[in-house]
Amino acid sequence: SIFAMGDIMSAISDEDADVCILEEPEHLNWYRAPGDGWTKRFRFVIGIIHTNYVDYAASHYSGLWSAPAIKIMSSAMVRAYCHVVIKLSDTLQTFAEEKEKISNVHGVRLDFLNEGSRRAEHVIESNMNETESAKKNDSPKDFDLCNQEPSSPRTSNNTSAEVYYIGKLLWAKGLAKMLDLQSYYKSCTGKYFQIDVYGNGPEEKEIKKAFHGRNSSNILSQHRKNEIKINNEKEVDSEMFGSKYTTGIFSTHMAKLSKHIQATTETIKSTTESIDLQFPKSLHELRKEPIPSTFPGRVDHATLGNYKLFVNPSESEVLCTTTAEALAMGKFVIIPVHPSNTFFMQFDNCLPYRNKIEFAANLHWALNREPEPLKPEQKRLLTWEAATERLISASAITRREAKERQRLGTSKLDERIAWFHNELGKGARGDALRRVLGGGPIADQVAYEYMKQQPLGDYEESSEFVGKSLAEAIRLALSNAVPWHNYRGESSLG
């Protein structure tokens, strides 16, 4: 996370203080330095919320107390520092009911839309060149998914996957659900569907093992052992029959002994690592048959134009940008029916599912067809121009809404919350409170401001923040930037 150090308001002139848009206003204000609030400086403040911090906190071991605390604190920050708050979807908590609007105010890069146009032109050209007999031969037939063999998907290269996923490699991103869907699809069709998984993350190792099954660790371990053995044999042979052999039998035996010791050490290390790999962290690792999958790593989504089907079973998102990007590229997307996906349901190439059988049916249907070219009106919905229009519309406060706010009298409450938050953050007590609440390196906001204002030669006289690690770091940084002897010389002249 990125947090500001110091009072941001002091860096903004009154001439520029008209309209302010805060991305994640709750996040920005948790540990902010004391000073004027956003609504005091700006005439109109819009908050855009697109991260479900309560959900993330609930999944942590401390979620029993941290999730409710974050929920209360986030609601207070939105009330105190926003006139209007826009939630990207209805998955988020209630922050301030009278201030909230739900709207997707995000667009996609032009690169994705250009790929969608290219794909549409290719589909139209292919359809024009297709003969009637070819259409009859290639048209898919309806069948009972769980009792009949599916037909082979239409693809120019049957060895490459048509299905992919891209995102951060975390179990919370729906990858455990992906494995469950793979198992169900296999129970219906007799085989897993091939998929390429793009991205990286802290749980990448465990996820790879879960996809590749329980034999993947043994194969990796044996491969590493064989590699070590071959390398050491080559090194020993080179020592015995190389130029060093002429130095005598003793040196040759010593070299050979040294290599054997090194080989033994490497073998022990490899064995230890292989033992560590054997302990499964997920039941999915016990699968006998590996899922046909590859993990190419992190890439730019715009470069994946050759796929036609994006699968994203995640339900932890507020609004998934990769789903919007895949739709913009003219691909099928298979996603669960969930509030975070409501915006995408209006697109022709969106194939939502409520259960596993609907997922399997959607997947088989999509593998045997080509996505529809993106309609102009649907294409425009994904542009930043349309997103800006939605932002302006969602930000407006009608006269009726203004009267309702006045009737509720919540503006006074919001002002009191802002005042109370500012008072709590003042002085050394405020720094201590931020530290207790998990502020870490950005907890010492007041100490930071104090040390910035002190003359470099008078840092010893400050007593309130003596010994603070951040204050000392600032002092050292300033002392390295400007030679101390200059200040000593000036003071001696006085």
Side-chain angles (χ1 to χ4, degrees):
S1 297
I2 299 175
F3 293 92
M5 287 300 298
D7 182 14
I8 300 178
M9 296 298 111
S10 62
I12 301 173
S13 64
D14 293 335
E15 293 78 14
D16 297 328
D18 187 15
V19 177
C20 177
I21 298 178
L22 300 178
E23 292 278 350
E24 300 195 348
E26 77 288 27
H27 184 186
L28 290 174
N29 290 294
W30 285 337
Y31 304 116
R32 70 182 296 268
D36 290 340
W38 301 96
T39 53
K40 289 291 185 182
R41 179 59 63 90
F42 290 89
R43 295 177 60 191
F44 195 62
V45 181
I46 305 162
I48 301 176
I49 303 180
H50 46 77
T51 303
N52 196 342
Y53 289 107
V54 175
D55 184 69
Y56 286 148
S59 64
H60 196 258
Y61 68 87
S62 62
L64 190 63
W65 66 268
S66 62
I70 289 176
K71 184 176 182 178
I72 294 170
M73 188 65 176
S74 297
S75 178
M77 295 302 97
V78 169
R79 279 204 163 278
Y81 300 117
C82 295
H83 293 111
V84 171
V85 59
I86 299 173
K87 302 192 296 186
L88 296 188
S89 73
D90 200 25
T91 59
L92 292 161
Q93 69 173 83
T94 298
F95 296 92
E97 191 171 357
E98 74 282 2
K99 297 183 178 184
E100 293 181 6
K101 303 287 182 66
I102 298 174
S103 180
N104 174 20
V105 295
H106 283 185
V108 301
R109 279 175 19 217
L110 190 60
D111 295 343
F112 298 104
L113 296 168
N114 289 340
E115 170 59 25
S117 299
R118 184 202 64 79
R119 182 183 287 269
E121 292 174 1
H122 176 73
V123 171
I124 293 172
E125 184 179 348
S126 298
N127 291 338
M128 290 177 62
N129 296 332
E130 220 173 31
T131 62
E132 289 298 325
S133 59
K135 289 181 181 179
K136 291 180 180 179
N137 293 333
D138 290 340
S139 60
K141 298 179 180 180
D142 294 331
F143 71 105
D144 184 345
L145 186 67
C146 292
N147 293 323
Q148 298 187 32
E149 286 294 323
S151 58
S152 299
R154 292 190 301 157
T155 175
S156 59
N157 182 6
N158 289 326
T159 61
S160 62
E162 293 185 298
V163 185
Y164 76 104
Y165 165 87
I166 185 169
K168 197 165 186 178
L169 296 188
L170 293 169
W171 290 118
K173 296 295 184 179
L175 289 166
K177 295 176 182 177
M178 180 84 78
L179 292 166
D180 291 334
L181 294 171
Q182 283 274 10
S183 298
Y184 183 81
Y185 188 81
K186 182 178 184 294
S187 69
C188 290
T189 66
K191 61 181 180 181
Y192 298 113
F193 61 89
Q194 187 174 346
I195 186 169
D196 293 336
V197 181
Y198 290 89
N200 56 16
E203 295 172 340
E204 179 178 354
K205 184 178 178 182
E206 291 78 10
I207 291 169
K208 284 182 178 180
K209 287 169 61 181
F211 271 82
H212 294 156
R214 65 188 183 188
N215 293 327
S216 61
S217 297
N218 294 330
I219 294 171
L220 176 63
S221 176
Q222 188 61 43
H223 174 74
R224 294 168 76 180
K225 286 180 180 178
N226 292 340
E227 189 178 90
I228 291 169
K229 182 178 179 181
I230 292 170
N231 288 339
N232 281 303
E233 285 177 353
K234 288 181 179 179
E235 290 174 357
V236 170
D237 290 342
S238 65
E239 289 290 342
M240 290 183 65
F241 299 104
S243 59
K244 291 184 180 179
Y245 183 73
T246 58
T247 60
I249 297 176
F250 178 75
S251 60
T252 300
H253 282 295
M254 289 300 295
K256 187 175 180 180
L257 179 62
S258 175
K259 293 299 179 183
H260 276 300
I261 294 173
Q262 183 180 354
T264 304
T265 304
E266 292 293 340
T267 302
I268 294 172
K269 181 180 178 181
S270 175
T271 304
T272 304
E273 291 177 354
S274 66
I275 292 172
D276 177 64
L277 288 170
Q278 296 305 314
F279 295 105
K281 296 184 179 180
S282 167
L283 293 177
H284 293 291
E285 295 178 39
L286 302 178
R287 182 187 303 101
K288 291 182 179 179
E289 297 179 67
I291 291 174
S293 57
T294 65
F295 290 79
R298 185 177 179 179
V299 298
D300 183 357
H301 193 184
T303 63
L304 304 180
N306 56 317
Y307 296 92
K308 74 171 185 178
L309 178 54
F310 173 65
V311 175
N312 183 18
S314 175
E315 296 181 359
S316 64
E317 311 289 344
V318 175
L319 187 133
C320 187
T321 55
T322 53
T323 300
E325 292 164 355
L327 285 169
M329 287 193 282
K331 301 177 181 182
F332 285 125
V333 298
I334 300 181
I335 53 178
V337 176
H338 188 263
S340 63
N341 292 324
T342 301
F343 176 80
F344 306 124
M345 300 298 170
Q346 60 189 304
F347 292 86
D348 295 338
N349 290 328
C350 178
L351 306 176
Y353 65 91
R354 294 176 177 82
N355 48 50
K356 293 178 181 179
I357 183 65
E358 289 186 4
F359 170 86
N362 283 342
L363 179 62
H364 178 81
W365 187 91
L367 287 174
N368 287 276
R369 287 166 174 80
E370 291 299 325
E372 291 291 326
L374 201 60
K375 295 176 181 177
E377 60 271 22
Q378 292 183 342
K379 180 178 180 179
R380 191 179 187 283
L381 287 173
L382 297 169
T383 64
W384 277 105
E385 289 79 6
T388 303
E389 292 174 3
R390 294 192 294 267
L391 170 64
I392 294 172
S393 177
S395 302
I397 301 176
T398 64
R399 292 180 179 179
R400 183 177 180 180
E401 290 171 342
K403 288 180 180 179
E404 180 64 17
R405 292 189 185 190
Q406 188 175 6
R407 186 187 67 81
L408 294 172
T410 54
S411 59
K412 294 290 184 182
L413 173 63
D414 299 343
E415 290 175 4
R416 293 189 190 104
I417 292 173
W419 175 85
F420 185 64
H421 183 236
N422 185 54
E423 290 297 312
L424 281 179
K426 290 182 177 179
R429 178 187 59 186
D431 285 354
L433 181 61
R434 278 183 285 269
R435 200 175 300 111
V436 169
L437 295 176
I442 51 90
D444 296 327
Q445 294 278 5
V446 179
Y448 176 83
E449 286 290 338
Y450 182 86
M451 293 303 296
K452 281 202 310 181
Q453 297 168 8
Q454 297 304 307
L456 294 180
D458 298 337
Y459 76 96
E460 298 92 347
E461 298 176 7
S462 61
S463 58
E464 188 176 8
F465 299 107
V466 168
K468 301 291 186 183
S469 58
L470 179 64
E472 291 300 313
I474 296 168
R475 178 187 64 76
L476 289 173
L478 292 173
S479 65
N480 290 333
V482 183
W484 276 103
H485 63 80
N486 290 348
Y487 293 92
R488 299 302 184 189
E490 289 174 3
S491 61
S492 63
L493 289 175

